[in-house]
Amino acid sequence: MQKRHLGRSGLRVSRMALGTMSWGEATDAEEAAGQLVAFVDAGGTLVDTADVYAEGECERILGSLLADVVPREDVVIATKAVARRTEGPFGGGASRGALLTALDGSLRRLGVDHIDLWQLHAWDENVPLSETLSALDYAVTSGKVRYTGVSNYAGWQLATAAASSSLVSTQVEYSLVERGVEREVVPATAYHGIGLLPWAPLGRGVLTGKYRTGTPADSRGASPAYAGYVEQHRTERAARIVEAVATAADGLGTSPLAVALAWVRDRPEVVAPVVGARDTAQLTGSLAAEEITLPTAIRAALDDVSAPAFGYPERWPK
């Protein structure tokens, strides 16, 4: 798997990241081990998790695998703080106390002495940004963290934080059916030299084509917990995009999944889409996208059918 620098930093990561949000819930430890081995064997290095996933169980599973299955030095560990909420004065949010408490918890669950990429999971309007960024600075100078990033920040939030810190990445939803980040987030990453890590690069599963004729019983769309999450992208516009992706896949002799993933992987400023899977078979399908490079004509057609509506001030002056 090819490697890319994360923004303007010296950190090089695989151009696909392994997402682990399902670990500890839909994916047990044994299946997680199979995913991690398959990912690393394919040349993958960047593994993304968060302290809030499965109430911390996701980090614990990853930590156990680093001890027994895959050498710690073979992977770049990325985790997040802010979203997890617990009782007590330091139980969540982006205050200095909450963040540093969360960091110690992640280190303990992962069983490591440092985290390669520590990310703020969300903006916290109740805490001064200077206080939040001071916690990131301390985490790096203490040696507990190597690099810092953010997630789910709006364009102005990202630009404001980047102007006063050494952020190297931002993680946001980005796919053929969700291109809103191109309005302000993508320009901010380009200006500040920040790497873009798209989550839900397959449009929450819609771009795989699995929902073209219905809702599979074993899919997230059929789950009471995730039906609303998927339904957001089951629109008439999305259906047109899915059909275009399927047509491109037929012409290239590959899967809609591979086409959709290759499209977002090679967008400007993107470093590595974060791809999650319920099992190793699903992950193998995503890894196959590494072999795909979209022809210019197909990429242009997909750009056109999925183009977001921009206006003032994003495209001003014309």
Side-chain angles (χ1 to χ4, degrees), residues 100 103 118 134-146 148:
L100 296 181
L103 175 58
W118 193 40
S134 73
L136 298 189
D137 290 341
Y138 174 79
V140 173
T141 57
S142 69
K144 295 180 179 181
V145 167
R146 298 292 191 259
T148 58

Side-chain angles (χ1 to χ4, degrees), residues 1-2 4 15-16 42 201-202 252 254-266 273 275 282-294 299:
M1 191 180 299
Q2 293 185 27
R4 292 171 170 171
R15 66 174 185 172
M16 186 184 301
L202 300 176
L252 294 172
T254 188
S255 67
L257 181 157
V259 169
L261 194 52
W263 179 88
V264 72
R265 180 198 66 206
D266 295 331
V275 178
Q282 281 190 344
L283 178 61
T284 299
S286 296
L287 293 173
E290 180 66 13
E291 307 301 320
I292 302 297
T293 299
L294 298 181
R299 177 170 290 280

Side-chain angles (χ1 to χ4, degrees), residues 123 150-160 170 172 184-185 188:
W123 177 270
V150 296
S151 181
N152 301 310
Y153 271 37
W156 73 266
Q157 294 168 342
L158 175 63
T160 303
T170 185
V172 289
E184 295 187 357
V185 174

Side-chain angles (χ1 to χ4, degrees), residues 154-156 174 177-189 237 267 306-315:
W156 73 266
Y174 190 19
V177 294
E178 181 51 85
R179 295 178 59 183
V181 294
E182 293 178 11
R183 293 182 175 89
E184 295 187 357
V185 174
V186 173
T189 63
R237 172 181 175 272
R267 293 296 290 172
S306 65
F310 285 160
Y312 178 86
E314 294 93 358
R315 294 293 182 267

